[in-house]
Amino acid sequence: MTFLILFLTFFKIGLFTIGGGYSMLPMIEDEVIVRLGWLTQEQLLDFIGVAESTPGPIALNLATFIGSAQGGAVYGAWGSVVGAVCATLGVVAPSFIIILIIARLFEKHMNAPVVRGFFYGVRPVVVGLVAASVVSLGIAVFLPLVNLELFASLSTEGFDPVSLGLMAIIFVLGGLRFGKSKKRLHPIALVLLSAVLGILLFGVAGL
Amino acid sequence: MTFFKIGLFTFGGGLAMISVASREVVESKKWITEDEMADIVVVAESTPGAFAVNAATYVGYKVGGFLGSLFATLGVCVPPLVIISVIFFFFDRFKENVWIAAAFKGIRAAVISLLFTAFLKLLRPMEKTPVTIAVAVVSFAVTLFTGVNSIYLILSGGMIGAVVFAVLARRARSRLAAAPISAQSSAEGEESPADKPTGGETQASAADKAAPATAPESTADAPESNAETPAGTASETLLKHPPENQEVPENAQKPADSPETPTTEKPRSQGGEGGEE
């Protein structure tokens, strides 16, 4: 029963939130904390911090975590695995179905003026959205005192020049082209490199 | 599959994924073009559900039909499932581990760089006209300084785009058929300039500069009010009119709240746009 509820709850969350992980948070709170009473506010906040910093989309991380927590609470270790799977499938299923339908329709009506006009207008919106997330994430990381609520877990004081330097290194490396094939470094290599630099700078050197 | 890799190395939400995904799918595998990627980002952002899952499903569909989308979606789901399940069991220790915290702090800084790359990748295939640039600047400012849900921005952007596009197409065709249409649309045409009397005047200058915080608002409005007069097939305009009136005031209020900061941030985004052209 728990598993079915997990699946359906996350199906609902996936179906009714637009714009990805962060816009899901209010609804997850409503459903999981208020309606079902599965987690406390602190547990969720704690985990949002982890969901942000671990690989994978935040929405999926949260679904997996809440599924583990609830399945585990009711059925023990195996329950938490099954719970995680149920919640994840639940949050993914609506996207999957909707995108499949849209993809089919889109391929057919790609050249309809309304569709092309829609994309003509939305593309710049998305460019703006991404630009805004660059800036707000930048503020959160480089100026941790200016606490944007999303990244409240960062707690160094004032300006953080080390992060800025690290970002600059990564950015320059990402822009350079290496070798005869003129290939840029793979983003994944950059992420791994930044993790190593993070350990060296913040962990070993204690900056 | 590829999306397993993408899911594994996506930090900090779906938008950061764009940069990894487009490297894999566009540059390495050459499954789709940069242009198609930009469209997929638009669809993924404006449909329900997690951005990363939407994007994965769509790319999968383009590449390999139903099976492709199934595998892409599973691929993007599995890494979080495994990683989070593991973390779940060691949750308390994980939170306190200094080394992990240090690594993640480094990664967060790098994610900014990845996001910026994603921004450039989306900017490149975008058509650059005064209208699209204005829309980009407005959505940037509104997102940064207000809590407006991005779906409203996307919907208004889509409507602006549809209207502008219709106008462009109509102009390109010819104006021979204008006589009967203008009779129909006169009722519509009178309304909209009345709603936004300043829009038409400021448009020309603001569209070029778009520097002050409030100007982009009027540029975004202006094309609509201009657009409706000539475009005005009665039924279409009627459908589009009410929602726009709801959304635009919402946007218009907010940037006024933060008069100082926009000026510091704007040049940055515009510099990026200028540099790309």
Side-chain angles (χ1 to χ4, degrees), chain A residues 96 99-100 103-104 107, chain B residues 1 56-73:
Chain A
F96 186 69
I99 291 289
L100 272 187
R104 292 230 164 132
E107 301 299 318
Chain B
M1 282 226 342
T57 309
Y58 201 156
V59 172
Y61 180 80
K62 280 225 162 199
V63 176
F66 177 80
L67 271 183
S69 60
L70 191 65
F71 278 107
T73 309

Side-chain angles (χ1 to χ4, degrees), chain A residues 22 42 53 64 69 74 150 153 156 165 175 184 186 188 194 201 204:
Chain A
Y22 291 118
E42 283 81 47
S53 53
T64 307
V74 181
L150 294 181
S153 52
T156 333
R184 290 168 199 264
H186 199 287
I188 290 175
S194 70
L201 291 173
V204 178

Side-chain angles (χ1 to χ4, degrees), chain A residues 96-118:
Chain A
F96 186 69
I97 297 165
I98 291 171
I99 291 289
L100 272 187
I101 295 170
I102 286 184
R104 292 230 164 132
L105 290 179
F106 185 66
E107 301 299 318
K108 264 188 211 161
H109 302 286
M110 214 165 110
N111 291 318
V114 177
V115 176
R116 284 180 60 193
F118 181 84

Side-chain angles (χ1 to χ4, degrees), chain A residues 14-15 17 46 53-57 61 92 95 102 104 106 117 120-121 123-125 128-129 132 154 167 171 184-186 194, chain B residues 8 10 23-24 35 39 47-49 54 58 61 73 77 80 87 95 104 108-110 116 125 129 132 139-140 143 157 161:
Chain A
L15 187 59
T17 51
D46 250 8
S53 53
T54 42
N61 291 346
V92 166
S95 305
I102 286 184
R104 292 230 164 132
F106 185 66
Y120 178 84
R123 273 189 186 188
V125 172
L129 289 180
L154 283 172
M167 196 282 275
F171 186 70
R184 290 168 199 264
L185 273 182
H186 199 287
S194 70
Chain B
L8 193 55
T10 303
R23 171 60 178 258
E24 280 294 318
D35 214 39
D39 279 345
T47 45
N54 293 344
Y58 201 156
Y61 180 80
T73 309
C77 289
I87 289 177
K95 263 194 310 187
F104 281 137
R108 260 184 235 188
F116 191 75
T129 65
T132 54
S139 82
F140 169 72
T143 315

